[in-house]
Amino acid sequence: DSLAAIRKGGDYGPVVIPQKADQSRLVRRLEAQERPQMPYGGPPLTRDQISTIRQWIDAGAPGPDDVTPIAPSPAPKHWAYVKPLAPALPAVKNATWVRNPIDNFILAKLEKEGVQPASEASKSTLLRRVYLDVTGLPPTPSELRNFLADNSPDAYERVLDRLFTSPHYGERWARQWLDLARYADSNGYEKDGRRTAWEYRDWVIRALNADLPFRDFTIDQIAGDMLPNPTNDQLIATGFHRNSMLNQEGGIDLDEYYYYTQVDRVNTTASVWLGSTLGCAQCHNHKFDPFPQKDYYRFLAFFANGQHAVAGKGDHWTEEPELELPNAAQEKKSKELKSQIAQLKRRLDTQTPALDATQARWEQQLAEAEKKWLTLRPVEYRSEGGATLQLLSDGSLLAGGLNPEADTYVLKAPLRVARITGIRLEVLPDSSLPHDGPGRDAAGNFFLSDFDVQLGSGVKVSWKRSIADQSQDGYEAGKIVQKKSGQLSGWAIDATADSAFRRQVVFLPDKPIAADAVVITLKHQMKHSSRNIGHLRISATQDTDPAFVVSIPAAVRPLLDIPVGQRTETQKDQVSSAFRSVSPQLDDTRKQLADLEEGLKALNINTAMVMREQSTGVRPSAYTRERGTFTSPGELVYADVPSAFNPLPGQVTPNRLALAQWLASDDNPLTARVTVNHFWEAIFGHGIVETSEDFGTQGDPPSHPELLDWLAVQFMREGWSMKKIQRLMVTSATYRQDSRVTPELLAKDSYNKLYAHGPRFRVDAETVHDLALKESGLLSDKMFGPPAFPYQPDGVWDVPYSSDKWVESNNEDRYRRSVYTFIRRSAPYPSLITYDAPSREFCTVRRVRTNTPLQALTSLNDPYFFDAARAMARRLMTEGGTSVNDRIAYGFRLTVSRDPSPEELQKIAGFLHAQRAKYEKDRAAAYKTIGGRSGLQADPVEAAAWTMVSNVLLNTDEAITKE
């Protein structure tokens, strides 16, 4: 995209050699002298076109970057990268049609195209339209009646006053923002565990209702934690970038996945505020827009300085900060409990002379207990998977050769102890194993799923417990014998620790074992994995306390072989800490601590996921990644904004707060344009820039560029007020047009890019659900709080690596607005997905809008919707009057905000009579239709027939369409 870049060329050198067209690779590719011929995959250029290029190269390949005696004009910037200026309002012929400046721009283009705007929509149509756009809910029949009866000139404006101050405004507009913020209630990826994120969703709703200026709305979300003395709301707002997915799979590289989190934050920020495909530059210089790869990583550096740490049990992941949000009572109690917990922890961490004496006896008892175990030397042993097992002089077995998936070892050993109270499995290090073992996988680990012992008589030993001196979190030894139905579980160790020491697990039988010999089977049943034990030894004891030998952690046990006087201070502390963790003298203290920690947990203090900056005092930096690959770091670059835009002010420290302020600056060429385009798209069905996710050279140009710039400037002039700019849109004559369209106009402008008629498209997925609840009378007005669990079909949450289940809410939560429905990324709410809601794994700027048979089948048959039909039937029968026609008319006013035509009235009445006749013949079907006999207040035939009528009314195209 510059002459210098053309002359420099790519990895294989220059493509243009000035004055040497024959040697220039550009010409040679165009003429197929080199392969592949260009343009790649397209028709060749004509001879004349190639001749023109040849002449240009032979003339020295001149261009605007060349220095000439006359100062060259700079290469023009793409329109979106130039700061918007308010254009003059265009003159129009039909000035009486204009209601506000928006109409000047729309009408000027209509007049240029020779197209007349549509007439104004009927009052009932306009009322329903603006209710859906501003609050996402329909007007009630009484609100419709009052508006139709109000003939004052400001009747519509007074409706808007009420709608823009309605608490439902924030719920409606939050839906759009939560798509951008990729908000969800689960972490994503394989395990997709739950997260507590709903405080952020509630903050969005509250901020929108309060008309928080978009400048502050931006700064709070990008860097609220970096503001002076941030409020809890400003901290909660930073949850915007905590909505990134979190990988908790086993074996991940924590630094790599934290890098992917930063990548997501870069791509999301660029999409939401800049409408730019900056993500294309992660792997290479952007092919179409002026974003070199270094710009990408300079932008990423803004997000590379956040606080994070390793967390987790078993599989590790990256943990970022959380904010506790207790109420007054919780805060008081929490402080009391935390103070007591701290005191008890200090007591548990303090070594006293009395404990020293007891510890000495404990160490001596451990040494004596070790002598009470007798090695079971196997006389027969084999691997069922084909590995070789070698018997060593100490009675242990060492595996070698093949390392098959899920191997099983079987060994037989005589018993020389009359009454066995415990059997011990030791896993031992060995230099022949990966990382010295004791396992055979690449990390020296293993997975033992089963440890079965069969007596000579054929009786299988039943275990009551299994206890180890070290386990990997999530793979505790107790899971070998205490399995949950249908779940694979077993023992593994922490192979990241030093492997040069033995680990052991003791199995305690339900009753002592008496036999001459035992057959022991060790299974490693982990699918698609070769995690077999590499070195093992079996022993038995008749001690009264077999588990005593595992009362000291495996890593600390070798320190007992060092005389006390020769131990370092660190070694002394390690042994003493291990002793205090099991000392009977501290049993009461440990129990008190456990009770207090349970009490703290029982307070159920709300938390919010937040961002926090590390206090390093240095400029944030990041390494570029060759081809975007984490494992290929390149040059170190420092935080900065893309070079194609206005720079950061010279006096600011380049950090996340500076980025936020730059995004929300009046000098930023894109933020205001992109934001007003989002609003326009939500209201009119498509943006002035159709590709609202891409304002770059590959995106669609604006249909009305002057209007877009005027709106952007007006947005900033009005203090970045979201409500004011939206109100301007819905008060325009453009918005108030009728949506009916002539065949001629449809042929000329099938997508209504001229805005010659009102918007006509299906409402979004959440509104489809909310309409059914509102019109049926089921909708709860409850706002905020934890997510709701409405009806969902069984089996949707049957996902691998999780036993979590969808438990349906049994109170008003099941009838809350869809913005509160729990969103699980790997198994999103099915009927929302059917109506094109995203899974929220990534930022969604523009939803697809489809029209499929599955949608109709869902809203006709899904119990969520059919429950609404039953409730609406009750409403028609109690509120709609006594006559059939009155009830049908009431149903129309509920669902489409108008009265039925005579033809519609006749068709619905005929359908009602047909349903009555059907249910008179089959009363069992009537009871099934209305959901049973419980609480029935009307004739079941009548209730069932009206239920089917309601089902039809709720599912007309008009009922789920803005028009």
Side-chain angles (χ1 to χ4, degrees):
D1 54 20
S2 71
L3 184 62
I6 291 172
R7 289 173 174 172
K8 180 181 178 182
D11 293 341
Y12 300 97
V15 295
V16 167
I17 303 175
Q19 300 179 339
K20 297 180 181 180
D22 286 337
Q23 298 177 30
S24 295
R25 290 173 54 242
L26 173 60
V27 172
R28 297 179 65 82
R29 287 290 179 96
L30 291 173
E31 294 180 342
Q33 297 179 54
E34 292 183 14
R35 295 288 182 177
Q37 185 176 8
M38 294 294 171
Y40 186 75
L45 297 189
T46 66
R47 183 176 300 175
D48 288 344
Q49 289 172 323
I50 297 175
S51 176
T52 301
I53 292 173
R54 277 181 162 277
Q55 293 172 27
W56 168 68
I57 295 174
D58 286 335
D65 296 346
D66 285 326
V67 177
T68 62
I70 301 174
S73 300
K77 276 190 174 184
H78 180 58
W79 66 268
Y81 307 148
V82 179
K83 179 181 175 180
L85 299 174
L89 298 184
V92 295
K93 298 174 183 177
N94 185 14
T96 58
W97 184 78
V98 173
R99 287 182 176 271
N100 68 37
I102 289 174
D103 302 324
N104 288 78
F105 296 97
I106 298 298
L107 185 57
K109 190 162 186 176
L110 288 175
E111 290 178 344
K112 181 180 178 181
E113 295 289 333
V115 176
Q116 289 293 321
S119 59
E120 184 164 309
S122 67
K123 290 185 71 174
S124 60
T125 296
L126 183 59
L127 186 72
R128 184 173 187 270
R129 180 190 297 174
V130 77
Y131 261 76
L132 293 180
D133 279 333
V134 179
T135 69
L137 297 174
T140 64
S142 61
E143 289 168 334
L144 174 63
R145 182 175 60 250
N146 292 339
F147 181 63
L148 293 178
D150 188 350
N151 294 317
S152 58
D154 63 344
Y156 181 64
E157 282 70 19
R158 285 189 285 108
V159 166
L160 293 182
D161 291 341
R162 187 171 68 253
L163 293 181
F164 276 104
T165 56
S166 166
H168 299 310
Y169 166 86
E171 293 175 321
R172 179 263 183 270
W173 285 93
R175 196 287 297 158
Q176 185 185 29
W177 189 258
L178 295 177
D179 273 4
L180 297 172
R182 69 266 190 249
Y183 169 83
D185 299 296
S186 72
N187 292 325
Y189 290 111
E190 173 195 61
K191 292 189 176 180
D192 199 22
R194 298 193 192 199
R195 61 169 49 167
T196 303
W198 53 267
E199 286 280 4
Y200 170 77
R201 176 247 289 150
D202 289 356
W203 174 85
V204 171
I205 296 171
R206 292 194 301 268
L208 293 173
N209 278 335
D211 198 19
L212 183 69
F214 191 77
R215 176 187 283 115
D216 297 330
F217 191 68
T218 295
I219 293 172
D220 289 354
Q221 292 184 83
I222 299 295
D225 59 304
M226 300 180 71
L227 293 168
N229 303 313
T231 65
N232 278 349
D233 272 355
Q234 289 169 327
L235 293 172
I236 292 168
T238 64
F240 177 87
H241 272 320
R242 289 298 311 281
N243 286 328
S244 300
M245 294 200 294
L246 173 64
N247 195 338
Q248 296 176 304
E249 297 176 31
I252 62 170
D253 183 311
L254 298 183
D255 291 334
E256 180 180 12
Y257 275 88
Y258 186 60
Y259 161 72
Y260 292 147
T261 297
Q262 296 167 52
V263 165
D264 171 72
R265 290 168 181 170
V266 171
N267 298 347
T268 298
T269 303
S271 295
V272 172
W273 278 275
L274 303 177
S276 298
T277 55
L278 185 61
C280 294
Q282 178 187 344
C283 304
H284 48 69
N285 293 341
H286 202 297
K287 298 298 183 186
F288 305 107
D289 292 319
F291 304 138
Q293 189 185 22
K294 285 184 182 178
D295 273 3
Y296 184 88
Y297 290 96
R298 293 184 183 108
F299 205 89
L300 184 143
F302 285 117
F303 302 102
N305 199 38
Q307 292 181 13
H308 62 284
V310 176
K313 292 186 176 181
D315 303 324
H316 296 132
W317 58 86
T318 301
E319 182 178 66
E320 296 184 83
E322 289 193 346
L323 173 69
E324 285 194 347
L325 297 165
N327 58 35
Q330 287 174 326
E331 185 173 18
K332 179 181 178 182
K333 186 63 176 177
S334 175
K335 286 181 179 178
E336 292 175 1
L337 292 175
K338 286 179 178 178
S339 175
Q340 295 172 37
I341 287 170
Q343 292 177 14
L344 293 178
K345 284 184 174 180
R346 283 194 294 270
R347 188 183 305 169
L348 290 173
D349 290 341
T350 302
Q351 188 76 2
T352 65
L355 288 171
D356 284 338
T358 311
Q359 179 182 325
R361 290 195 298 273
W362 173 72
E363 291 189 34
Q364 183 180 1
Q365 291 166 352
L366 279 171
E368 293 171 353
E370 190 67 35
K371 300 174 184 177
K372 298 177 182 179
W373 288 87
L374 180 66
T375 299
L376 302 183
R377 189 178 184 87
V379 293
E380 296 178 18
Y381 44 89
R382 71 179 188 275
S383 157
E384 293 188 349
T388 60
L389 296 180
Q390 179 186 359
L391 181 62
L392 304 183
S393 59
D394 62 355
S396 65
L397 291 170
L398 179 63
L402 293 175
N403 186 27
E405 289 186 5
D407 203 356
T408 297
Y409 302 159
V410 181
L411 54 111
K412 181 177 181 180
L415 291 182
R416 289 179 290 162
V417 181
R419 185 177 180 275
I420 293 177
T421 56
I423 292 182
R424 178 175 64 175
L425 165 66
E426 297 170 90
V427 289
L428 310 167
D430 192 275
S431 59
S432 68
L433 300 170
H435 292 275
D436 293 331
R440 301 194 70 191
D441 79 354
N445 207 340
F446 61 86
F447 176 78
L448 181 67
S449 58
D450 297 274
F451 185 85
D452 296 333
V453 173
Q454 186 172 309
L455 306 181
S457 61
V459 176
K460 184 177 177 180
V461 175
S462 176
W463 306 114
K464 61 181 177 183
R465 290 178 66 199
S466 52
I467 314 154
D469 57 7
Q470 191 202 65
S471 297
Q472 180 179 338
D473 290 338
Y475 297 89
E476 290 78 10
K479 294 184 177 181
I480 302 175
V481 299
Q482 296 174 345
K483 296 182 180 296
K484 292 183 179 180
S485 176
Q487 285 193 359
L488 180 66
S489 60
W491 180 42
I493 63 167
D494 182 2
T496 60
D498 180 11
S499 296
F501 53 83
R502 64 171 177 153
R503 284 87 161 176
Q504 50 189 338
V505 54
V506 173
F507 294 87
L508 305 178
D510 283 338
K511 58 183 179 180
I513 299 170
D516 295 330
V518 288
V519 176
I520 301 174
T521 303
L522 295 88
K523 297 179 181 179
H524 310 88
Q525 299 298 316
M526 179 172 278
K527 295 179 180 179
H528 314 300
S529 178
S530 301
R531 301 187 68 186
N532 308 304
I533 295 175
H535 192 191
L536 64 98
R537 182 168 59 205
I538 308 291
S539 55
T541 187
Q542 56 184 359
D543 190 14
T544 55
D545 185 10
F548 183 63
V549 292
V550 292
S551 63
I552 183 171
V556 180
R557 174 176 282 279
L559 302 182
L560 298 184
D561 297 331
I562 303 173
V564 174
Q566 298 178 21
R567 296 174 189 169
T568 66
E569 290 301 316
T570 299
Q571 291 170 337
K572 289 178 182 178
D573 288 344
Q574 287 178 307
V575 176
S576 295
S577 177
F579 165 69
R580 290 194 303 272
S581 69
V582 295
S583 171
Q585 291 169 274
L586 296 172
D587 280 349
D588 287 344
T589 303
R590 284 191 293 273
K591 184 179 184 307
Q592 291 175 44
L593 178 62
D595 290 344
L596 289 172
E597 288 177 335
E598 281 297 314
L600 185 61
K601 185 178 178 181
L603 290 177
N604 291 321
I605 295 175
N606 293 337
T607 60
M609 303 165 66
V610 299
M611 298 280 284
R612 296 277 193 184
E613 194 77 351
Q614 297 187 70
S615 302
T616 60
V618 298
R619 184 172 181 172
S621 61
Y623 285 98
T624 62
R625 305 285 170 172
E626 294 182 17
R627 293 182 171 86
T629 304
F630 171 75
T631 53
S632 301
E635 179 184 348
L636 183 69
V637 296
Y638 294 91
D640 207 347
V641 298
S643 53
F645 301 140
N646 56 302
L648 289 172
Q651 70 277 14
V652 303
T653 301
N655 56 25
R656 199 157 31 89
L657 180 58
L659 171 65
Q661 293 167 336
W662 175 84
L663 289 170
S665 165
D666 286 359
D667 292 328
N668 190 299
L670 276 168
T671 298
R673 280 189 178 116
V674 169
T675 304
V676 297
N677 194 67
H678 288 160
F679 299 152
W680 188 276
E681 179 182 14
I683 290 170
F684 288 95
H686 55 81
I688 297 172
V689 175
E690 178 82 17
T691 54
S692 50
E693 70 283 356
D694 186 5
F695 275 52
T697 60
Q698 297 302 293
D700 286 355
S703 60
H704 296 72
E706 294 83 4
L707 172 59
L708 181 64
D709 281 3
W710 187 89
L711 287 169
V713 172
Q714 185 69 16
F715 184 40
M716 293 185 283
R717 284 176 176 171
E718 292 282 5
W720 298 77
S721 167
M722 292 181 268
K723 287 186 177 181
K724 286 181 180 178
I725 201 71
Q726 292 161 3
R727 182 173 181 134
L728 195 67
M729 293 177 186
V730 300
T731 52
S732 66
T734 304
Y735 177 80
R736 295 172 66 156
Q737 294 177 96
D738 193 276
S739 65
R740 284 173 290 191
V741 60
T742 65
E744 295 76 20
L745 181 57
L746 194 61
K748 182 180 180 67
D749 182 23
S750 57
Y751 290 100
N752 196 28
K753 291 196 173 184
L754 294 175
Y755 303 102
H757 60 79
R760 41 185 291 157
F761 55 91
R762 196 202 67 220
V763 297
D764 60 30
E766 290 82 356
T767 305
V768 172
H769 286 65
D770 295 348
L771 287 175
L773 294 181
K774 178 67 174 178
E775 291 157 4
S776 66
L778 290 175
L779 183 65
S780 166
D781 286 332
K782 180 180 177 181
M783 296 181 67
F784 310 126
F789 295 82
Y791 166 82
Q792 176 173 275
D794 292 336
V796 174
W797 272 26
D798 287 348
V799 294
Y801 303 104
S802 175
S803 59
D804 200 4
K805 298 297 180 186
W806 180 281
V807 179
E808 187 175 339
S809 301
N810 57 8
N811 50 28
E812 67 173 320
D813 283 354
R814 66 189 301 185
Y815 299 125
R816 298 185 70 191
R817 290 195 71 166
S818 295
V819 71
Y820 301 111
T821 297
F822 190 99
I823 297 175
R824 187 174 193 182
R825 285 168 158 142
S826 63
Y829 194 67
S831 55
L832 289 177
I833 292 294
T834 301
Y835 275 100
D836 306 323
S839 63
R840 299 269 176 83
E841 293 171 282
F842 303 101
C843 169
T844 302
V845 177
R846 180 170 49 137
R847 285 190 184 184
V848 298
R849 187 180 295 122
T850 64
N851 187 2
T852 69
L854 186 58
Q855 292 165 352
L857 291 170
T858 296
S859 51
L860 278 168
N861 298 293
D862 188 301
Y864 178 103
F865 290 97
F866 206 80
D867 198 16
R870 293 184 180 120
M872 183 171 162
R874 293 191 293 270
R875 192 173 184 187
L876 296 184
M877 295 170 69
T878 56
E879 301 175 13
T882 56
S883 74
V884 167
N885 287 356
D886 285 347
R887 290 178 178 179
I888 293 174
Y890 189 67
F892 267 75
R893 289 193 289 272
L894 284 172
T895 57
V896 293
S897 301
R898 65 173 177 84
D899 286 327
S901 68
E903 182 183 12
E904 289 169 330
L905 195 63
Q906 181 181 4
K907 285 185 177 181
I908 296 297
F911 177 74
L912 173 69
H913 296 317
Q915 293 299 305
R916 282 173 173 166
K918 168 188 170 183
Y919 290 123
E920 283 288 0
K921 297 177 181 178
D922 188 354
R923 287 187 164 250
Y927 283 116
K928 184 177 181 181
T929 297
I930 62 177
R933 301 168 183 263
S934 176
L936 183 63
Q937 300 293 322
D939 174 28
V941 169
E942 191 73 2
W946 281 107
T947 295
M948 298 308 297
V949 167
S950 299
N951 198 33
V952 168
L953 294 178
L954 287 169
N955 281 279
T956 62
D957 286 342
E958 189 178 353
I960 59 171
T961 305
K962 240 162 60 157
E963 297 303 315

